[in-house]
């Protein structure tokens, strides 16, 4: 079944081998990068999620990259219909789901031809040989069986497994139809992968019981398929060894695996609780932001109110209404929906209402690549409203960081009385990593005070400002606080409609200054490495992991390189200008055509160098290392990261 000689994985550091119960060796490695690929109906996302959760429970550091078809109903068997899930789990701290693959599991020819290029030479290739037939070859546009090619058999450790037949045999006694029996083959593949990489079956067995408890026959069949896959790995001669990855040394605490959209939802709920507000979430479904709504609907017991509007405009207008009503108001979308929300965001700026607008970015323009990641909405977030309508813009750097930045976005919105844009992206939203669950007492307090009722003898001044230039947040119905609201320009202090040109300029400049002063209430920019030197890499959003790892490698190789990752994009940290001018070269990697680079050049007059990628895929560490080294001065002696 295997045409290549076994060899150690790329991450093998110890070479330690011990015999397992089947007389095979177990090789200890520091980490594994594996991708699972098949049709969108083959259950690859479920397999990947279970492998991730099991690895996290084993104490490994994990990072994932789910990859979905762009079409909801992409034709089966075609290259456009391939669904993939990449995972790296390791015994040391990691920041990316890996570059080259140590192992690739494919269910059909389309999955093979679209993913094989990422498998390293000598890597393990596991193929469901039952999915390789003339019909599938035609759908995948291959002329013959690629598993028979000399290139594959000479370059990789190919293991052909008749998964469909073996799964049917394993579940035969449970009386499922052939169609339903075939749906269990992802659990067979799961069991095989679990054996190969020393994962426990117990978490997934519990999952099966909880997921399908109303269907005992399905529970029994899936359990049988899972165990059959494990047994196959244990007994077949195709694998001469399996692999083990020790637990990572993480900071003490209680951890769970968390996805970016889930972390955003939990951060919003937490922010509402520590500020004493109920959470209103007005939205219209759109990929890849919809899972925030799905998660929030599970937690209505925490005072969460979700509203699925008929369109994007209705969603944000309802959100403005909730903010006017005195509650924590949030809306979310992706680039196309943010475009539709533009005028209403300007209304929020004019009314000076605290609210959060979340943009989970995807490939564009227009419908673009709805399931692929991109960072091309930064300029939209900065300037995508008519008139002078500045908004604070924040961006989490990882799935777990979404929790903290959701809280930070609400703090800024409430303190400043302004809408805040929170820029996530598809890579962060669907990715996952271990998250250290914080103690509630350790979280920053958000104190919100509404003006009290008055007798009405003195006129209420709705645009009277405090030291942050923030106006009072008056709750409708409070005695003595009646005031005018709307989208027409306001008179300073009174809030009356004003067409006076001097007043308009004053109010525009005041709203801009209010946003600019936020820089005094956010941390200064931190740096990996020195604060001056040869090369500074500046990144934002989901590129953090690849940039951090690439800079660390370059520093270990002796290059004078530092890394600054921006989580605050408007206003930027108050020391960023000094940092930029303290390096010979500034490199800005982005998954767009150079939007942050444009902002840095125009604001700080620094000639930044762009590393740009617009393929719907994240950066690999290796391509960033190559780019950094091409611009850096010759390496000196190695230094620690």
């Amino acid at each position: 079944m295997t045409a290549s000689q076994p060899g150690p994985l790329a991450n093998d550091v110890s070479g330690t081998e011990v015999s397992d119960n089947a007389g095979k060796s177990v090789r200890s490695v520091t980490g594994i990068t594996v991708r699972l690929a098949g049709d969108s109906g083959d259950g690859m996302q479920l397999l990947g999620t279970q492998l991730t959760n099991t690895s996290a429970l084993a104490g490994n550091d994990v990072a994932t990259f789910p990859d979905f078809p762009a079409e909801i109903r992409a034709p089966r068997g075609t290259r456009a219909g391939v669904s993939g899930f990449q995972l790296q789990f390791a015994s040391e701290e990691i920041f990316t789901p890996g570059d080259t693959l140590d192992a690739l599991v494919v269910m059909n020819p389309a999955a093979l031809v679209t993913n094989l290029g990422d498998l390293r030479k000598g890597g393990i290739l596991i193929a469901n040989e039952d999915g390789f037939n003339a019909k599938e070859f035609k759908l995948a546009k291959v002329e013959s069986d690629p598993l028979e090619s000399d290139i594959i058999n000479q370059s990789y450790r190919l293991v052909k497994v008749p998964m469909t037949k073996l799964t049917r045999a394993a579940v035969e006694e449970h009386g499922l139809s052939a169609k339903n029996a075939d749906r269990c083959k992802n659990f067979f593949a799961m069991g095989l992968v679990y054996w190969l990489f020393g994962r426990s079956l117990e978490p997934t067995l519990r999952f099966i019981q909880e997921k399908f408890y109303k269907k005992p026959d399905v529970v029994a069949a899936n359990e049988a398929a899972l165990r059959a896959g494990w047994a196959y790995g244990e007994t077949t001669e195709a694998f001469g060894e399996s692999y083990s990855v020790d637990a990572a040394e993480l900071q003490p605490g209680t951890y769970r695996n968390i996805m970016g959209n889930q972390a955003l939802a939990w951060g919003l709920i937490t922010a509402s609780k520590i500020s004493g507000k109920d959470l209103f979430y007005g939205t219209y479904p759109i990929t890849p932001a919809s899972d925030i709504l799905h998660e929030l609907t599970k937690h209505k017991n925490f005072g969460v109110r979700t509203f699925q509007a008929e369109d994007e405009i209705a969603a944000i207008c309802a959100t403005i209404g909730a903010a006017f009503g005195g509650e924590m108001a949030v809306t979310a979308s992706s680039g196309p929906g943010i475009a539709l929300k533009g005028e209403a965001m300007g209304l929020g700026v004019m009314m000076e209402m605290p609210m959060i607008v979340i943009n989970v970015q995807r490939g564009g323009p227009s419908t673009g690549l709805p399931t692929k990641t991109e960072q091309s909405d930064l300029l939209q977030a900065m300037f995508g409203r008519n008139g002078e309508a500045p908004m604070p813009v924040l961006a989490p750097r990882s799935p777990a960081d979404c929790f903290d930045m959701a809280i930070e976005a609400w703090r800024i919105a409430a303190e400043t009385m302004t809408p805040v844009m929170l820029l996530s992206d598809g890579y962060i939203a669907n990715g996952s990593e271990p998250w250290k669950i914080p103690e509630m007492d350790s979280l920053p307090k958000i104190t919100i005070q509404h003006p009290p009722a008055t007798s009405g003898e003195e006129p209420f001044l709705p645009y009277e400002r405090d030291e942050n230039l923030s106006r009072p947040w008056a709750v409708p119905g409070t005695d003595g606080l009646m005031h005018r609201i709307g989208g027409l320009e306001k008179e300073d202090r009174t809030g009356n409609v004003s067409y006076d040109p001097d007043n308009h300029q004053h109010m525009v400049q005041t709203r801009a200054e209010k946003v600019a002063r936020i820089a005094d209430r956010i941390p200064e920019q931190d740096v990996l490495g020195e604060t001056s030197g040869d090369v500074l890499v500046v990144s934002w959003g989901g590129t953090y992991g690849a940039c951090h790892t690439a800079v660390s490698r370059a520093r270990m190789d002796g290059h004078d390189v530092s890394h600054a990752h921006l989580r605050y994009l408007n206003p930027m940290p108050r020391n960023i200008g000094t940092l930029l001018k303290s390096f010979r070269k500034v490199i800005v990697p982005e998954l767009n055509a150079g939007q942050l680079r444009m902002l840095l050049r125009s604001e700080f007059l620094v000639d930044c160098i762009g590393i740009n990628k617009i393929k719907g895929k994240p950066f690999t560490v290796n391509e960033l290392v190559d780019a950094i080294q091409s611009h850096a001065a010759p390496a000196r002696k190695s230094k620690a990261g």
Side-chain angles (χ1 to χ4, degrees), residues 9-12 28-33 88-92 102 244-245:
L9 294 181
N11 289 321
D12 181 18
S28 176
V29 296
T30 59
I32 299 288
T33 299
Q88 181 178 191
F89 53 95
S91 59
E92 57 190 14
D102 296 312
S244 67
V245 179

Side-chain angles (χ1 to χ4, degrees), residues 181-229:
D182 288 349
R183 288 178 176 173
C184 298
K185 68 177 179 289
N186 63 324
F187 282 99
F188 182 95
M190 200 180 302
L192 175 57
V193 171
Y194 280 18
W195 174 84
L196 183 61
F197 299 125
R199 309 288 90 180
S200 171
L201 296 181
E202 290 305 315
T204 300
L205 290 171
R206 292 196 299 270
F207 165 80
I208 292 171
Q209 290 284 345
E210 295 169 1
K211 178 74 173 178
F212 305 107
Y213 71 96
K214 292 183 179 180
K215 300 178 180 179
D217 55 335
V218 175
V219 170
N222 284 332
E223 287 182 347
L226 182 69
R227 296 185 187 278

Side-chain angles (χ1 to χ4, degrees), residues 227-293:
R227 296 185 187 278
W230 177 283
Y232 182 84
E234 197 171 39
T235 57
T236 183
E237 296 181 0
F239 297 102
E241 60 186 5
S242 62
Y243 304 89
S244 67
V245 179
D246 293 335
E249 294 184 6
L250 302 175
Q251 292 181 358
T254 303
Y255 287 81
R256 63 155 293 148
N257 189 52
I258 198 166
M259 297 177 68
N261 277 344
Q262 185 182 40
L264 269 179
W266 290 9
L268 294 173
I269 295 170
T270 304
S272 74
K273 290 292 132 188
I274 62 180
S275 62
K277 292 293 177 183
D278 284 344
L279 171 60
F280 176 88
Y281 185 78
T283 191
Y284 181 79
I286 185 171
T287 301
S290 297
D291 282 339
I292 304 173
L293 171 64

Side-chain angles (χ1 to χ4, degrees), residues 28 63 144 189 303 310 436 502 535 560 566:
S28 176
S144 59
E310 66 268 27
K436 184 181 178 182
D502 291 334
V535 173
D560 183 8
L566 292 169

Side-chain angles (χ1 to χ4, degrees), residues 394-410:
L394 283 65
R397 68 186 187 185
S398 69
D401 192 44
C402 287
F403 179 86
D404 295 326
M405 293 309 282
I407 297 174
E408 181 69 348
W410 179 236

Side-chain angles (χ1 to χ4, degrees), residues 63-64 82 104 128 166 175 207 209 283 306 346 491 513 562 567:
T64 69
V82 174
L104 173 64
N128 173 24
L166 292 173
F207 165 80
Q209 290 284 345
T283 191
T306 56
E491 184 180 62
E513 176 63 20
S562 298
R567 297 159 79 222

